[in-house]
Amino acid sequence: MARRFYVQGHSKLEIADEFGVSRFKVARMLDSARESGLVRIEFDLPAPVDVELCDEVRRAYRLDRALVLEKSSMREPKEVVRRRVGALAARLLEEIAVPEDVIGMSWARSVNAMTEAIRTLPRCPIVQLCGVQAGMDMRGRSVETVSRVTSVSGGDAYPIFGPLVLPDQRTTEILRHQPGIAETFAQFGKLTKAVVSIGAWTSGESTVYDALDDAERAAIAARGATAEVAARLFDAAGTPVSTGLTHHVLAISREELVAVPEVIAIGYSRPKAEAVDAVLRSGMVSTLVTDAAAAEPLLELARAKPLPPLPGT
């Protein structure tokens, strides 16, 4: 019975018919086989994840998937955790990407770490979702990120050769209508998957925050900004925060990002837990890649303020 069920994939009902017993007796005998050690079940996980935390975070925030790096990572330096989280995201993207996809990627150190770990992808277009932060070396810039991924996939590249934050709306509009940048922006409505990073509105935890002066940071914080994704801001409840920044960044709009069927968000470390919670509450994210250091406070936040019931439930 155990061989038919675990090896050959027969159902309990099929086994019951074959052996002339009830399916309830089959179930009891299979349980007995496991308890006695006749049958042992082992998991050979493709990545070092904490399975229990994965399931708890997924259910708490109603996600399609949640991948949580194992607890041992909590003792490692941030740069090491970033590489491991990036590798985890890379394995996921390699597994779920298909040739029909149009994949968008935002600039972020964690997304860059993911692209460095990617070894295979279908031949699909790769689209840059926002401009580059001034002062970053070329290896860290999103243009290079897109180039690395397309060298693996062999698909078309749609980069943005322009800064993330611009001085005013007029300059932004002029650049958005430049042929190369306009071609990339035209791809946003075709995206089927997007990989983004979640930033917290504090120094060293957000690309956009670090690109602004002190007065702009303070003004945006006063409006309740807690989190940032691809230069789009959210408060603690996951509600979009409207600021003047909206009109002078080269980036995908919040509406276009929400419309992407599969949004994979990378957000890790305890300092980012509240920001990750805020973005997950927005309903934008379908898959979260994180670590145990962020997952544990995330669950506390979810228990303290559960998501509202779904309509009709």
Side-chain angles (χ1 to χ4, degrees), residues 199-203 206 208-209 212 217 220-221 225-228 233 245:
W201 198 246
T202 184
S203 179
S206 163
V208 179
Y209 184 98
L212 303 179
R217 294 169 183 167
I220 291 173
T226 298
E228 172 259 323
L233 305 174
L245 180 66

Side-chain angles (χ1 to χ4, degrees), residues 89-136:
R91 299 291 82 76
L92 171 67
L93 190 61
E94 289 174 346
E95 181 179 324
I96 67 175
V98 295
E100 295 76 23
D101 277 329
V102 179
I103 301 175
M105 294 186 179
S106 68
W107 184 91
R109 294 178 181 89
S110 55
V111 177
N112 293 345
M114 180 198 75
T115 64
E116 290 177 349
I118 288 177
R119 297 293 176 263
T120 179
L121 274 183
R123 188 181 180 87
C124 51
I126 306 298
V127 182
Q128 187 176 328
L129 300 182
C130 53
V132 301
Q133 179 186 350
M136 295 302 301

Side-chain angles (χ1 to χ4, degrees), residues 3 34 45 53 55 101 110 128 143 181 277 280:
R3 181 175 179 80
R34 289 177 57 186
L45 298 173
L53 281 177
D55 192 49
D101 277 329
S110 55
Q128 187 176 328
V143 173
I181 295 176
D277 172 74
L280 296 184

Side-chain angles (χ1 to χ4, degrees), residues 257-293:
L257 195 52
V258 169
V260 179
E262 174 97 23
V263 175
I264 301 166
I266 304 174
Y268 62 98
S269 77
R270 182 171 288 272
K272 281 190 178 180
E274 291 186 1
V276 174
D277 172 74
V279 173
L280 296 184
R281 291 179 186 276
S282 75
M284 172 192 299
V285 174
S286 52
T287 296
L288 174 68
V289 182
T290 187
D291 64 345

